[in-house]
Amino acid sequence: MKPALIVHGGAWDIPDEAVEACKSGCNAALAAGWSILSCGGSALDAIEAAIIVLEDNPVFDAGYGAHLNFDGRVECDAIVMNGATLRAGAAATLQRIKNPIQLARKILEHCPHMMLVAEGAERFAKAQGIQLCKLEDLVSEAEWAAWQKCKEDTHAAEHHRGHEQGTVGAVAIDANGSLFAATSTGGTCCKLPGRVGDSPLIGCGCYADAEAGGVSCTGYGEAIMKVVLAKTAVDLLRQRAICVDSPVASSGDTSTADLAAREAVHLFAKRTHATGGLILLDRAGNPGFAFNTPRMAYGYVAPDGAFITSV
Ligand code: ASP
């Protein structure tokens, strides 16, 4: 099977001055993931490599440079899901993990549970050989400055403008047809300590089912949870997949993935009146994306191998 890869760097009102950095960040993530997939490597390795690049880039709200919580600390959440087994590895409220996706993978592969949080998650990380970093290692200058302003003025919403980059995510299929999806975030700016959004929750911020496709979401977590957005999108892919399989609908519709993405975001907006977006791959590797925010940073590998990125 032909491998496929799509990534995102959040759906928000991304400021003009961050557009180029978001595009090149998505491009670098595609390069990291595609260097693995194009040589026959696994979707899990590719997705981890792509997400690490995005987490390490302070232009995105994940890993280093993530938004700070009310107490001025980074508190990250991440998930990775295997479309073949429907098993996920997820972790939340991490304060000392440089690359939360690495811990999510360890949980996927080596933990009897599917989700760990806070101190227990960090203890498991240590047992798995992941070094804990210092709290300040994850705080970027830009986020610290934004947080200082918020603090002076009861966390007024206008201080959040200008640093509205987002959560990161990726979906990959490898040559063997293995499908994985992942999402990693620092959550929303000035969130209450202990707040967990949609991102690390199976079905909300991420879902993968090899029979239909894989999805990673971004946007207002509290609203995304209400409609279980990632699973909703995968269900739409499944319905379409059934249609496409049936003789009546075998007319070669190539935009199944995009239609499912658009329909999912439409349902989300209609039922919650909130904003967000998502990326997906259908089970054949066709990319789809949709958002109702002013912008979303995303990128995918086109059939000819070219990297398409946009904000
Ligand atoms: N969905 C994330 C959250 O609510 C934020 C984002 O997508 O940027 O934690």
Side-chain angles (χ1 to χ4, degrees):
M1 161 158 201
K2 207 172 157 21
L5 178 64
I6 187 165
V7 301
H8 75 80
W12 293 101
D13 194 359
I14 297 171
D16 289 346
E17 56 277 18
V19 164
E20 279 316 308
C22 285
K23 263 195 212 169
S24 69
C26 286
N27 205 71
L30 288 176
W34 199 244
S35 68
I36 294 168
L37 288 173
S38 59
C39 298
S42 80
L44 181 56
D45 286 344
I47 218 167
E48 184 184 26
I51 297 274
I52 285 174
V53 166
L54 295 165
E55 286 177 341
D56 287 345
N57 187 336
V59 81
F60 301 114
D61 174 28
Y64 172 65
H67 292 330
L68 303 183
N69 70 8
F70 195 82
D71 289 346
R73 289 183 175 186
V74 164
E75 212 168 67
C76 288
D77 309 325
I79 181 170
V80 57
M81 182 165 180
N82 180 343
T85 61
L86 303 181
R87 189 176 156 74
T93 67
L94 308 170
Q95 296 197 349
R96 294 184 297 160
I97 305 287
K98 184 174 165 282
N99 290 110
I101 192 65
Q102 286 180 325
L103 175 55
R105 179 176 181 167
K106 293 282 188 201
I107 293 170
L108 175 74
E109 293 183 314
H110 304 296
C111 184
H113 311 302
M114 295 218 309
M115 186 172 197
L116 296 176
V117 304
E119 193 269 332
E122 293 184 354
R123 203 189 310 167
F124 181 79
K126 257 167 82 181
Q128 291 292 319
I130 295 178
Q131 272 198 343
L132 302 189
C133 63
K134 294 198 212 105
L135 297 178
E136 57 271 27
D137 290 346
L138 298 177
V139 179
S140 71
E141 263 177 46
E143 290 301 322
W144 183 250
W147 182 80
Q148 292 282 355
K149 278 203 226 148
C150 293
K151 209 175 91 169
E152 275 161 26
D153 194 5
T154 58
H155 295 265
E158 59 263 31
H159 297 322
H160 300 186
R161 296 199 187 104
H163 72 133
E164 291 203 19
Q165 297 81 264
T167 293
V168 305
V171 187
I173 299 182
D174 62 31
N176 295 323
S178 294
L179 166 75
F180 285 82
T183 305
S184 180
T185 189
T188 46
C189 186
C190 298
K191 65 186 179 182
L192 291 180
R195 177 261 189 192
V196 177
D198 62 300
S199 304
L201 303 181
I202 189 168
C204 296
C206 178
Y207 200 75
D209 182 343
E211 291 184 0
V215 178
S216 173
C217 301
T218 169
Y220 281 102
E222 281 71 10
I224 291 173
M225 284 188 256
K226 288 181 180 172
V227 296
V228 198
L229 185 57
K231 177 68 163 65
T232 296
V234 167
D235 287 346
L236 287 163
L237 282 173
R238 180 182 288 277
Q239 286 163 20
R240 297 284 304 179
I242 291 162
C243 291
V244 169
D245 282 347
S246 72
V248 225
S250 58
S251 56
D253 179 359
T254 51
S255 59
T256 304
D258 258 336
L259 286 175
R262 272 186 248 158
E263 179 65 10
V265 170
H266 171 71
L267 287 172
F268 164 68
K270 196 170 91 178
R271 291 297 287 123
T272 69
H273 307 291
T275 54
L278 59 84
I279 54 163
L280 57 79
L281 289 179
D282 69 14
R283 63 186 178 155
N286 297 304
F289 56 86
F291 51 98
N292 67 345
T293 43
R295 283 175 166 152
M296 179 167 83
Y298 62 92
Y300 59 92
V301 182
D304 65 357
F307 294 175
I308 313 289
T309 55
S310 186
V311 174

